[in-house]
């Protein structure tokens, strides 16, 4: 067996907004035995098109193949790997924290302020905080909140974009090469 | 025109020029079958009722492989649809254009584990190029048009359309549309408006072509490796032959590339890989430039990917970008339709010759062919070759007989070898031969099958007999699962676990029970006479060819060892 170096890869995939497409995309990962670390889907400026951001650990050669196989699907319009140094990644994390006294509530609000997180729900016994950031920020916040008792935590999954004016739809030689496989005439 | 979706299906098939459909009816597809009688579509489209849906799918596949047109099959929901799946996977692995129309339970029953309900679009997602679940009657015609376009374009492949029964009954407006106009309408037009789904086939990159020409200019020992891509690409074979002859270098072939170069061509080194010839396998290790066209370096070809052609600059020409570097790391690639790439290469390629290299490649002795009175596998193929003037389409099943067919028959045109190369589906042959014959009524079709494979789907004898389809069956009867036995003999200490088939039925009587004349042959002389009678009969015919149980496919390389290390010479 060759030793493979597994690193985190962030893929952005533009797809047809239709049923079945998500399982088609995720199937390609499970087939290779990759566990998806994070996945976020939503429509784009064009309601007929969705954008999927997928994070997965894998070695470079396998990722290349996966991207190639993704690009080949008819419901996939384009695939881009977002390199860490050239892209911005964010996710939204909601923490529901135990807060039964006003002292605790104040303390949590202060922590939230430091992280520029917002309080989005308050009850007599709890506070819910929404934080936007990358995983290091979320982790730091989580460590602090754990001392109060986290009741529930949920994340949207990472979304990411390339820095600068480039977009996922910009043409390059690779795109043309893939168009050939999808040409229907 | 207002009509039911069931009728629209038939109209859309006519738009596509479909003349034959293979299928099997059932509850959910009744509306569609009713159209054949109700509006007389049975007079315009011939429906072949097979014995089993798997046979229908293999027949559509055999039709597609041997004609280059899209094969079509119908099945009902649930078990009908799942019976298609082996056939769909077989077509998928060998890039064969097949459109399967399954009907499903009515929409109000979907998701309720209703009688004969199955999520066939989910099941076939990994084995179709694309599939559709039709959810509105208005989109049906469009979906069918898109399905055919996708099945036959680019790298061809199977497409499945699942239509709930209530939709087949719904009536909507239908406007006939000639095929040439499909791309300008509806879903196809919308798809093609996206830059990622170009309307026209993009041209190969001219810089890439020039770079290959440079590499050729520097090469001293080039080898061409031809795969199924050249067979699938329309009009590629003449361009390929011109390329090979101008380059004047040795040409090896994968099993799927059979027919790209005539089997007796002086440049042809034979099949490569696990059962490749000495010339092909040794040349692959010695060449300094390997030009692979339309082949994907499967593990049966590049048995050790890192070791394959390791002295060579490897150039891969393929229409499917995702094949590049998938199995074998390449030094250069050209993306394009094989015909067009070869045409562009031919425009600039000067005449070459490599006398010393060729002399070396062809100096390796191949396996001597025995002639001693008892019937040998190569003699069966020689007989077919001789009595059909090499014109016969050969369909095969899977096993030793398949390898012998690929090795000893001289294929001279694309589509002449109909075999399950990628999926290795035992039971493929009889259905595929039926499809091939119906698609090529003026060509003799011979099924080369094994006793194991034949028993898997011999139910299609009923189809052969009912429609009097003149397929000649040559059963290589070695009373064993020969290919598995060969591995057991060579690798498993002659422990023949579960591979004896001595309890086989009397195959001649079996075919006679279906009304198909049959004969048993134990020598080449007998076979020649029987084959002549078979051809003369102009109907289905069965020939049982008794061969030695211990006959082996030579040469052989074990899985996972380099192609130059022959386990068996
Ligand atoms: C559906 C299926 N099951 C099992 C196999 C594994 N297999 C490959 S070759 C072979 C033996 C085929 O026997 P037969 O058809 O008699 O051909 P022979 O090798 O004897 O010529 C088997 C079992 C297969 N390829 N396909
Ligand atoms: Mg056998």
């Amino acid at each position: 067996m060759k030793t493979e170096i597994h690193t985190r890869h962030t893929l952005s995939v533009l797809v047809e907004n239709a049923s079945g497409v998500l399982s088609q995309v995720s199937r390609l990962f499970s087939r290779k035995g990759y566990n998806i670390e994070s996945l976020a889907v939503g429509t784009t400026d064009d309601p007929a098109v969705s954008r999927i951001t997928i994070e997965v650990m894998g070695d470079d050669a396998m990722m290349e193949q996966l991207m190639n196989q993704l690009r080949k699907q008819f419901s996939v319009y384009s695939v881009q790997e977002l390199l860490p140094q050239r892209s911005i990644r964010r996710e939204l994390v909601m923490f529901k924290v135990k807060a039964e006294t006003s002292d605790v509530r104040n303390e949590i609000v202060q922590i939230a302020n430091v992280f520029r997180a917002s309080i989005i729900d308050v009850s007599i016994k709890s506070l819910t905080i929404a934080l936007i950031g990358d995983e290091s920020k979320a982790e730091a916040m989580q460590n602090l909140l754990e001392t109060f008792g986290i009741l529930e935590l949920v994340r949207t999954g990472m979304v990411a974009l390339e820095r600068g004016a480039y977009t996922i739809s910009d043409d390059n030689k690779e795109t043309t090469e893939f168009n050939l496989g999808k040409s229907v005439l | 025109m207002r009509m039911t979706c069931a009728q629209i299906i038939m109209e859309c098939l006519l738009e596509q020029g479909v003349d034959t459909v293979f299928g099997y009816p059932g509850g959910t597809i009744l509306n569609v079958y009713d159209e054949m009688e109700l509006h007389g579509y049975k007079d315009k489209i011939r429906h072949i009722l097979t014995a089993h849906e798997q046979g229908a799918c293999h027949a559509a596949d055999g039709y597609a492989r041997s004609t280059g047109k899209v094969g079509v099959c119908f099945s009902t929901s649930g078990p009908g649809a799942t019976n298609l799946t082996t056939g769909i996977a077989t077509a998928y692995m060998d890039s064969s254009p097949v459109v399967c129309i399954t009907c499903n339970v009515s929409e109000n029953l979907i998701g309720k584990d209703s009688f004969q309900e199955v999520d066939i679009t989910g099941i076939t997602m990994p084995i179709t190029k694309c599939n559709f679940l039709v959810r509105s009657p208005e989109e049906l015609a469009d979906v069918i048009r898109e399905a055919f376009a996708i099945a036959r374009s680019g790298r061809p492949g199977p497409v499945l359309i699942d239509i709930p029964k209530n939709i087949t009954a719904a009536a909507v407006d239908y406007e006939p549309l000639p095929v040439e106009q499909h791309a300008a309408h509806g879903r196809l037009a919308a798809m093609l408006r996206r830059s990622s789904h170009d309307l026209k086939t993009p041209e190969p990159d001219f810089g890439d072509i020039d770079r290959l020409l440079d590499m050729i200019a520097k090469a001293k020992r080039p080898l061409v490796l031809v795969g199924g891509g050249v067979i699938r690409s329309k009009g590629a074979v003449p361009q390929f032959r011109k390329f090979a002859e101008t380059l004047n270098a040795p040409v090896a072939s994968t099993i799927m590339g059979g027919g790209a170069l005539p089997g007796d061509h002086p440049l042809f080194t034979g099949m490569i890989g696990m059962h490749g010839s000495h010339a092909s396998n040794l040349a692959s290790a010695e060449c300094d430039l390997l030009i692979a066209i339309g082949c994907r370096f499967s593990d049966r070809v590049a048995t050790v990917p890192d070791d394959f052609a390791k002295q060579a600059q490897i150039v891969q020409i393929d229409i499917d970008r995702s094949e590049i570097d998938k199995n074998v790391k390449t030094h250069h690639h050209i993306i394009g339709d094989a015909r067009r790439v070869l045409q562009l290469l031919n425009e600039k390629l000067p005449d070459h010759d490599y006398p010393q290299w060729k002399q070396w490649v062809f100096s390796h002795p191949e396996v001597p062919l025995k002639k001693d009175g008892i019937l040998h596998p190569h003699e069966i193929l020689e007989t077919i070759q001789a009595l059909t003037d090499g014109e016969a389409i050969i369909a095969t099943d899977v096993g030793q007989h398949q390898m012998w067919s690929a090795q000893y028959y001289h294929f001279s045109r694309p589509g002449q070898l109909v075999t399950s190369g990628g999926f290795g589906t035992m039971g493929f042959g009889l259905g595929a031969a039926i499809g091939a014959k119906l698609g090529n009524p003026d060509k003799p079709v011979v099924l080369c099958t094994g006793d194991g494979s034949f028993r898997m789907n011999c139910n299609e004898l009923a189809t052969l007999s009912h429609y009097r389809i003149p397929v000649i069956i040559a059963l290589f009867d070695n009373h064993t699962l020969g290919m598995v036995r060969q591995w057991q003999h060579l690798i498993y200490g002659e422990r023949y676990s579960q591979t004896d088939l001595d309890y086989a039925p009397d195959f001649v009587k079996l075919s006679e029970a279906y009304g198909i004349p049959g004969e048993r042959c134990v020598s080449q002389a007998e076979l020649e006479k029987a084959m002549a009678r078979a051809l003369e009969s102009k109907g289905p015919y069965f020939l049982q060819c008794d061969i030695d149980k211990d006959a082996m496919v030579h040469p052989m390389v074990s899985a996972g060892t380099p192609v130059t290390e022959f386990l068996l010479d």
Side-chain angles (χ1 to χ4, degrees), chain B residues 221-225 249-252 269 272 280 283-284 287 289-292 357:
Chain B
R221 301 183 307 279
L223 175 69
V224 180
L225 175 55
V251 176
T269 62
I272 198 168
S280 296
S284 74
C287 64
L289 174 67
L290 181 76
I291 306 170
W357 164 235

Side-chain angles (χ1 to χ4, degrees), chain A residues 72 74 173 177 179-180 185, chain B residues 196-197 201-202 208 320-321:
Chain A
K72 191 173 145 174
F74 270 83
K173 175 151 185 254
E177 288 190 345
N179 286 353
L180 198 91
L185 282 185
Chain B
S196 58
H197 296 67
T201 303
D208 289 346
D320 180 354
R321 177 63 178 76

Side-chain angles (χ1 to χ4, degrees), chain B residues 397-402 404 423-427 449-454 456 476 478 480-484 501:
Chain B
D397 267 300
V398 171
Q400 292 180 314
H401 63 275
Q402 175 190 31
W404 288 320
F423 209 48
T425 309
M426 285 173 73
T449 182
D451 47 335
S453 299
F454 190 66
M456 281 204 175
F476 292 48
N478 51 6
T480 179
L481 299 174
M483 184 56 94
V484 183
L501 294 180

Side-chain angles (χ1 to χ4, degrees), chain B residues 22 50 84 177 182 185 283 331 335 353 388 449:
Chain B
F22 305 89
T50 54
L84 294 178
L177 199 63
H182 287 180
H185 287 82
H331 300 86
I335 299 302
D353 197 8
T388 62
T449 182

Side-chain angles (χ1 to χ4, degrees), chain A residues 2 14 16 20-21 23-25 27 46 49 61 64-65 68-69 72-78 169 171 173-185, chain B residues 92 125-126 129-130 149-150 153-155 183 187-188 191-192 194-202 205 208 306 319-322 324-326 333 335-337:
Chain A
K2 274 182 293 184
L14 276 192
E16 180 187 355
V21 175
S23 56
Q24 209 172 325
V25 167
R27 177 184 73 77
D46 176 351
V49 179
E64 186 66 37
Q65 260 188 43
N68 288 351
Q69 285 171 354
K72 191 173 145 174
Q73 306 296 320
F74 270 83
S75 43
V76 170
Y77 299 143
S78 41
S169 308
D171 275 346
K173 175 151 185 254
E174 194 134 277
T175 327
T176 325
E177 288 190 345
F178 276 100
N179 286 353
L180 198 91
K182 285 183 187 166
S183 118
V184 285
L185 282 185
Chain B
Y92 184 71
M125 200 179 271
K129 193 171 166 188
C130 192
I150 289 177
S153 65
R155 177 182 182 171
R187 293 170 55 101
L188 270 175
M191 180 163 109
L192 295 168
R194 304 204 62 83
S195 64
S196 58
H197 296 67
D198 217 327
L199 183 77
K200 289 180 291 302
T201 303
D205 187 285
D208 289 346
D306 292 341
I319 197 164
D320 180 354
R321 177 63 178 76
S322 72
I324 306 301
D325 292 337
K326 185 178 83 178
H333 68 257
I335 299 302
D337 180 40

